[in-house]
Amino acid sequence: MSVNKLGKMAVIGLSAAWIAGCSTTATETDSSSVSEAEANNVAAESSAASANGSTGNAGDESFGANGNGDLSSVIVDGNGNVVSADTAAAAETAAANAKDMLVGVAHVFYFDFDKSIVRPEAREALAKHAKYLVANPDARVVLEGHADERGTREYNMALGERRAKAVSRYLTIQGVAAAQIETVSFGEEKPLEFGHNKQAWQANRRVEVRYE
Amino acid sequence: MRKLKYFSLGLMMLLLSNLAKAQLVIEITSGADQLLPLAVVPFAYDGKGALPADVAQIIENDLKRSGLFEAIPRTNMLSLPSKKEDVHFRDWRLLKSDYVVIGDIRQIDSESFEINFELINVLSQKTVEKHTGLAVKSSGLRDAAHYISDKIYQLLTGVRGAFNTRILYVTAEGDRAAPTYRLQVADADGHRPQVIVESEEPILSPSWSRNGRFITYVMFRDRRPNIFVQELATGKRQKIAQYKGLNGAPAWSPDGRQLALVLSKDGNPEIYIFDIATQKLQRVTNHYSIDTEPSWEPDGKGIVFTSDRGGNPQIYRVDINSKAVERVTFEGDLNTRARMTPDGRYLVTVQKNDGNYHIALQDMKNGRVQILTETYLDESPSIAPNGSMVMYATTHNGKGILAVVSVDGLVKYRLPSAAGEVREPAWSPFFE
């Protein structure tokens, strides 16, 4: 499959995410219980939308660029919510360069139980992220650490952070400036898979690389 | 298309409002070996219309839920007395009831009532306790019932009752990949749930101030955790921590002036004390390992916390003055999230043994450890203010629910929700 085709598919995927994002927002707005954060989200989103609108074709381009980034970024940012659209707008400037450098590069990295050691098979992909960040000093990355459901929630918050920091160290060793990286933990609060079994737990012990 | 969308939106909101009302239902799974039999006779009612609450039934349910009492079913009662002179002691002896609770409710006006009740020993035929002229609003009938339950429980067990208390918990409902999180407060029996905060981002670690007026919790904002303090009555809230990295596990000091919390702003997770009046931070731990889940000792002199400084997570204690740290737990593959009983006698932890996570109780006097639960993936233990029960979160039929176990491990009940996941229970203090 050509890169071009991949890009097109990603555009479709992201557009779907965008539409899903819109309907979610509508629900929030109507439910009169919109928190400040959500209100901010809505504001950010609509400004992103108008920016896209004003430059005509640019909207498509920004999605395409982000989409070309890779398909896993749809998983990372997606979850069918607004964030993906936000990211698309925010990444607009940096994204042009990402186009080639991060095609097909994994954005999710997995860990062993109660461990925070970057696995050998993750190194190649992380090196590519590092290369991109070094080449784009204005780019900012958030490393989001996660844990599986076992154990207590606050301990898992700490464990998720430790994993994100392990990835952060790997990137800084490759020459990425510490100021470009932020580590955040979601603990066990945002699982990717919902089963109570080994397969789900493995999928959930992860660090997601998200460009802001 | 557009019409359809609005329709489904309306439907969803309808569903949502129903879900929000869905409350926790109690399922008792085991009780103490020797139950004290008693009869709570339906209270006589002198007034217009039906009462908004069956006070005697609420009292009976409270006492049954404690796992220490056996209630004589109403259908077996031979008479329904509301005055002592109408109590035929022979009948109640035949029903093997050791005690009988009688009472009556009189309507004062459309909104207010007056309750009288009496607790009588069937064998001695003596009145143990008699209360007259308990004035309540119609919205306070449940509170009055819990108050009476507390009185009866204390008179018959010698321990202060904790029925007239509340619980905080977090629900996650809707699409599992993007649920709506709600921090809720309800009566200790799960009735009268109210939503305190609603968010599309995770909420965790709610806890109470010592006087029960304020709460604190962690809520994500813009994909980062923040710590909030909120006044329950007014909803007024303050963000007290929004540092880089972790902002977690807030816990009120016994004197109500400080919060212990976890921040990783200086590199890795450490325990800090935040002074509410001065808004100043004081760091209490200093170690490159994970230090988290602080909980105050009842006298406020020390904090117990989880640390993996020994290789795997165990409970440690730090002395607030000297900052000296000592290890507290030694049994099990790991111990996390400690809570101490109000008398300081027992330490409750989440202990892992052979891959199973259960609630464990450690006697601080002799170090003996007892596993209290047999449920699956147990976490978040919270102790009732009278030290009799531990509420915790567990997984039942693949769903997150709340469950309760007595500190002797004999009494067990579940509080599943009709909808969504329930987690992170926090039992309130006594309301004075």
Side-chain angles (χ1 to χ4, degrees):
Chain A
M1 191 184 284
S2 73
V3 173
N4 207 356
K5 246 185 186 164
L6 250 178
K8 266 186 191 157
M9 276 181 61
V11 170
I12 294 164
L14 264 163
S15 308
W18 168 250
I19 290 162
C22 285
S23 62
T24 311
T25 312
T27 319
E28 283 165 0
T29 317
D30 288 356
S31 70
S32 79
S33 56
V34 187
S35 72
E36 283 168 51
E38 285 148 15
N40 289 343
N41 250 344
V42 173
E45 196 198 347
S46 54
S47 69
S50 65
N52 287 339
S54 64
T55 43
N57 216 3
D60 274 348
E61 256 171 39
S62 76
F63 286 135
N66 192 38
N68 274 339
D70 74 340
L71 281 174
S72 64
S73 81
V74 178
I75 301 168
V76 173
D77 310 333
N79 289 339
N81 62 37
V82 182
V83 178
S84 61
D86 263 356
T87 316
E92 210 166 345
T93 45
N97 298 311
K99 204 181 261 183
D100 303 321
M101 295 182 77
L102 296 176
V103 170
V105 177
H107 279 54
V108 184
F109 300 94
Y110 300 97
F111 291 80
D112 290 349
F113 175 67
D114 204 23
K115 293 282 184 297
S116 52
I117 298 161
V118 176
R119 288 179 179 170
E121 65 262 31
R123 287 178 194 158
E124 198 187 323
L126 283 176
K128 285 181 182 158
H129 284 288
K131 214 170 150 192
Y132 165 71
L133 284 162
V134 170
N136 297 275
D138 291 337
R140 294 282 177 274
V141 69
V142 182
L143 305 173
E144 296 182 339
H146 298 263
D148 70 38
E149 64 175 341
R150 293 173 294 169
T152 48
R153 288 175 185 273
E154 287 286 1
Y155 186 79
N156 280 334
M157 287 289 287
L159 202 54
E161 183 185 60
R162 192 184 262 177
R163 285 176 180 147
K165 288 218 159 129
V167 172
S168 169
R169 265 196 304 282
Y170 197 83
L171 294 179
T172 49
I173 288 167
Q174 311 274 321
V176 179
Q180 285 179 275
I181 309 169
E182 183 185 352
T183 52
V184 176
S185 177
F186 281 86
E188 62 175 283
E189 308 303 319
K190 282 274 177 193
L192 275 184
E193 285 196 29
F194 304 97
H196 306 286
N197 53 55
K198 280 192 172 149
Q199 185 215 328
W201 293 332
Q202 174 58 84
N204 292 331
R205 292 192 303 270
R206 69 198 193 275
V207 168
E208 297 189 1
V209 176
R210 189 168 63 86
Y211 287 95
E212 285 220 310
Chain B
M1 178 68 191
R2 178 143 268 224
K3 235 180 194 167
L4 197 74
K5 203 164 151 189
Y6 275 112
F7 173 71
S8 59
L9 199 92
L11 194 76
M12 213 166 107
M13 286 176 66
L14 199 79
L15 274 171
L16 274 175
S17 66
N18 276 334
L19 292 182
K21 270 184 226 142
Q23 62 188 22
L24 309 168
V25 187
I26 304 234
E27 296 169 1
I28 299 175
T29 48
S30 89
D33 291 340
Q34 292 236 311
L35 302 177
L36 183 67
L38 97 179
V40 186
V41 181
F43 285 14
Y45 175 53
D46 174 17
K48 278 185 201 144
L51 269 173
D54 185 339
V55 172
Q57 189 66 58
I58 296 167
I59 297 167
E60 182 183 314
N61 292 345
D62 280 347
L63 295 172
K64 278 204 298 206
R65 202 170 65 251
S66 76
L68 304 177
F69 299 93
E70 181 189 353
I72 307 297
R74 286 181 175 183
T75 47
N76 292 1
M77 294 177 187
L78 301 171
S79 59
L80 302 176
S82 61
K83 288 184 173 53
K84 194 178 178 185
E85 53 265 35
D86 299 332
V87 175
H88 302 298
F89 287 100
R90 195 174 156 272
D91 292 352
W92 299 104
R93 276 200 301 274
L94 274 174
L95 289 168
K96 296 191 164 42
S97 184
D98 286 3
Y99 292 90
V100 58
V101 179
I102 56 168
D104 63 270
I105 304 171
R106 196 164 59 86
Q107 189 172 36
I108 306 298
D109 54 51
S110 64
E111 269 301 294
S112 45
F113 302 88
E114 200 178 87
I115 306 178
N116 305 310
F117 77 93
E118 197 166 347
L119 170 67
I120 304 162
N121 184 320
V122 173
L123 297 177
S124 70
Q125 306 193 5
K126 284 197 175 116
T127 296
V128 182
E129 177 86 2
K130 185 176 178 174
H131 262 245
T132 51
L134 195 66
V136 288
K137 297 273 172 218
S138 64
S139 62
L141 280 168
R142 288 201 77 89
D143 302 294
H146 293 315
Y147 169 83
I148 295 168
S149 304
D150 281 347
K151 283 270 166 230
I152 295 169
Y153 183 87
Q154 178 153 22
L155 287 161
L156 299 183
T157 69
V159 177
R160 184 171 178 182
F163 302 111
N164 200 19
T165 54
R166 307 174 89 187
I167 49 171
L168 288 170
Y169 53 92
V170 176
T171 58
E173 287 169 27
D175 177 8
R176 286 198 298 183
T180 298
Y181 301 88
R182 293 186 183 90
L183 174 58
Q184 308 203 36
V185 64
D187 290 1
D189 61 4
H191 282 266
R192 295 192 292 191
Q194 280 175 280
V195 176
I196 301 168
V197 188
E198 186 175 303
S199 174
E200 303 306 312
E201 296 192 78
I203 303 172
L204 67 157
S205 300
S207 83
W208 296 84
S209 71
R210 208 29 90 91
N211 61 14
R213 276 181 55 207
F214 294 88
I215 57 167
T216 178
Y217 54 91
V218 175
M219 179 165 65
F220 278 74
R221 280 286 187 87
D222 198 18
R223 302 181 77 85
R224 277 122 182 128
N226 297 173
I227 301 176
F228 294 91
V229 163
Q230 185 163 331
E231 188 176 20
L232 264 185
T234 62
K236 230 170 74 183
R237 77 171 168 213
Q238 189 203 347
K239 191 192 289 171
I240 61 153
Q242 189 190 12
Y243 297 95
K244 258 193 185 332
L246 292 182
N247 297 271
W252 239 288
S253 65
D255 68 7
R257 292 182 188 161
Q258 298 174 314
L259 287 166
L261 37 91
V262 175
L263 305 172
S264 62
K265 66 185 182 66
D266 297 329
N268 68 314
E270 302 284 2
I271 314 288
Y272 292 76
I273 292 175
F274 175 78
D275 189 284
I276 292 165
T278 65
Q279 305 268 306
K280 278 199 178 122
L281 277 176
Q282 177 201 353
R283 182 164 159 178
V284 259
T285 59
N286 192 349
H287 199 279
Y288 57 83
S289 68
I290 290 172
D291 291 335
T292 186
E293 303 178 325
S295 180
W296 297 76
E297 290 175 344
D299 64 7
K301 287 179 182 158
I303 289 174
V304 287
F305 63 100
T306 309
S307 178
D308 69 342
R309 58 185 66 198
N312 58 348
Q314 293 290 351
I315 305 304
Y316 292 76
R317 173 191 188 272
V318 59
D319 185 277
I320 289 168
N321 278 327
S322 70
K323 307 285 188 291
V325 174
E326 59 181 327
R327 185 167 162 176
V328 179
T329 57
F330 296 90
E331 284 194 31
D333 297 339
L334 60 82
N335 283 280
T336 55
R337 222 241 190 202
R339 291 289 184 272
M340 220 170 238
T341 51
D343 58 5
R345 174 75 195 268
Y346 298 101
L347 186 81
V348 172
T349 68
V350 176
Q351 188 175 102
K352 185 189 173 198
N353 286 300
D354 304 324
N356 296 311
Y357 294 81
H358 289 314
I359 307 299
L361 183 86
Q362 179 169 328
D363 190 325
M364 295 300 279
K365 263 191 189 155
N366 56 28
R368 207 173 297 152
V369 176
Q370 188 192 350
I371 305 292
L372 299 181
T373 58
E374 303 165 328
T375 35
Y376 181 64
L377 290 179
D378 303 337
E379 61 179 334
S380 310
S382 174
I383 304 170
N386 65 357
S388 67
M389 298 280 202
V390 180
M391 190 175 286
Y392 63 100
T394 184
T395 303
H396 183 65
N397 294 335
K399 222 175 87 172
I401 65 158
L402 304 185
V404 176
V405 61
S406 59
V407 290
D408 59 12
L410 291 174
V411 180
K412 286 169 185 165
Y413 63 89
R414 291 192 286 257
L415 291 113
S417 166
E421 305 262 337
V422 200
R423 52 175 78 143
E424 296 283 83
W427 210 314
S428 79
F430 290 121
F431 297 100
E432 304 301 343

